[in-house]
Amino acid sequence: MDFEQFDQFPSVPANGQATLVTDKFLDRSIHAIVFKLGGTNFTKAMISNLQIRIDGKDIVPMITGANLQKLNSYDGLPNDATQLWFFFGDPTSQTIRGQHLGDLDLSIYRKPLELRLDIVGATAPTLEAWAVTNVPKLAMGIGYDALEAAQMRALVRTVLQPAGAVTRKSYGLNWGSSNGGRIRRVNYFHAALTAVEFKKNSITKHDDIPIALNNSVSAQYARTPQTGLYCLDRIYDGNQGEAETTVDADGRAWNQQYAISTSGADTIDVYVDVHAAWPLL
């Protein structure tokens, strides 16, 4: 793999948005993007919104720097104070095919990549973006077919706002039953969540599991549970093939139900972590 810098951000305000649009990596695949934070005072907590887009469509939609770091820390990845990573691939996967399955292939999606970061409260910040890149996925020689080459890792956001304590209350998620991608995880950033339940075609797959028990099973597979993050994980062991399908073999949508319990009112940012082709997002 190669490690290359993006073009420079035109401006990096102390309070405002830093935006970069570039086609530098056309005809290559991107395994990961790392944002290098510098200047007098610029931390991940000062990134109030990070977005990665292709042709105006979100791949990573409106996530804070702190929450993105929690997703990485859950995976057991290092937390470097000045480096913020987003992995399209999965460095924790058990196979090389699995590690690169979610890589973004810009030989298929030959469109400019857009990076946006909203910055709040920094002092004389500097910002660089770097990419871990590779050849197109079909040229890697590890057995991808055209459909696998076209898919990428993406996050799809839903905001849930229970007005008070709820028990096993079902909520629809923006990535539910008919998109055709595969669900790796459902990440709930919360203050009052106590348990999550997941059913597929009325068959229980994740049985109203409270936080402590969910954290325990995650830890058995070398994941690192994070305060304020409930991860409904379909790939504890890093096997990408266990990601949850959303349609059956005939293309019909599975009926999926997600229910939560809370101890009180909350605003919950939910990010469904998927492998999907760009047109499905």
Side-chain angles (χ1 to χ4, degrees):
M1 291 186 286
D2 299 327
F3 192 30
E4 305 173 60
Q5 189 173 1
F6 277 84
D7 301 327
Q8 293 289 333
F9 283 85
S11 65
V12 183
N15 292 278
Q17 187 174 89
T19 302
L20 173 64
V21 181
T22 179
D23 60 2
K24 178 173 181 175
F25 297 111
L26 290 186
D27 296 320
R28 297 185 62 77
S29 64
I30 298 180
H31 180 67
I33 297 174
V34 57
F35 299 93
K36 181 181 177 183
L37 314 184
T40 303
N41 185 25
F42 184 23
T43 68
K44 297 172 188 178
M46 296 171 181
I47 300 173
S48 63
N49 174 27
L50 184 151
Q51 292 173 280
I52 302 174
R53 315 179 87 194
I54 294 180
D55 199 31
K57 182 180 289 189
D58 284 335
I59 302 171
V60 177
M62 296 183 66
I63 189 168
T64 66
N67 282 349
L68 178 54
Q69 181 56 55
K70 283 189 176 184
L71 296 183
N72 292 336
S73 295
Y74 171 83
D75 269 331
L77 302 176
N79 183 358
D80 185 321
T82 60
Q83 323 290 337
L84 179 60
W85 289 80
F86 178 78
F87 282 91
F88 289 102
D90 186 346
T92 72
S93 182
Q94 299 299 303
T95 67
I96 296 298
R97 289 188 82 255
Q99 286 181 30
H100 293 283
L101 188 60
D103 289 6
L104 170 62
D105 194 326
L106 294 177
S107 73
I108 296 172
Y109 304 109
R110 302 192 78 258
K111 301 176 184 296
L113 191 63
E114 181 178 354
L115 310 178
R116 292 185 179 182
L117 294 89
D118 289 336
I119 302 168
V120 178
T123 304
T126 63
L127 177 64
E128 298 174 4
W130 294 70
V132 179
T133 66
N134 210 327
V135 298
K137 288 160 75 173
L138 289 176
M140 289 182 183
I142 51 178
Y144 292 132
D145 60 28
L147 291 177
E148 291 171 325
Q151 70 182 36
M152 69 189 74
R153 182 194 176 201
L155 303 178
V156 183
R157 182 174 183 247
T158 306
V159 179
L160 309 181
Q161 293 182 301
V166 296
T167 301
R168 288 187 172 182
K169 182 172 180 179
S170 293
Y171 286 89
L173 301 180
N174 287 337
W175 191 279
S177 300
S178 61
N179 303 80
R182 294 174 68 99
I183 296 173
R184 303 171 70 246
R185 295 173 177 142
V186 184
N187 301 291
Y188 297 81
F189 290 99
H190 68 93
L193 191 71
T194 59
V196 175
E197 181 177 82
F198 169 51
K199 293 183 178 182
K200 184 174 176 179
N201 269 25
S202 300
I203 298 172
T204 299
K205 310 280 277 183
H206 190 87
D207 192 6
D208 192 38
I209 298 176
I211 288 174
L213 185 57
N214 191 59
N215 287 349
S216 179
V217 69
S218 298
Q220 301 309 306
Y221 291 93
R223 306 302 179 185
T224 306
Q226 302 293 302
T227 301
L229 169 63
Y230 188 110
C231 183
L232 195 172
D233 199 341
R234 306 307 298 157
I235 55 165
Y236 289 117
D237 60 358
N239 179 3
Q240 309 301 315
E242 294 177 342
E244 202 68 53
T245 57
T246 56
V247 296
D248 65 18
D250 296 319
R252 294 172 296 197
W254 293 112
N255 178 23
Q256 299 188 47
Q257 297 174 301
Y258 297 90
I260 63 172
S261 299
T262 69
S263 60
D266 203 355
T267 296
I268 304 171
D269 272 323
V270 185
Y271 293 87
V272 183
D273 188 330
V274 300
H275 278 161
W278 181 78
L280 299 176
L281 297 174

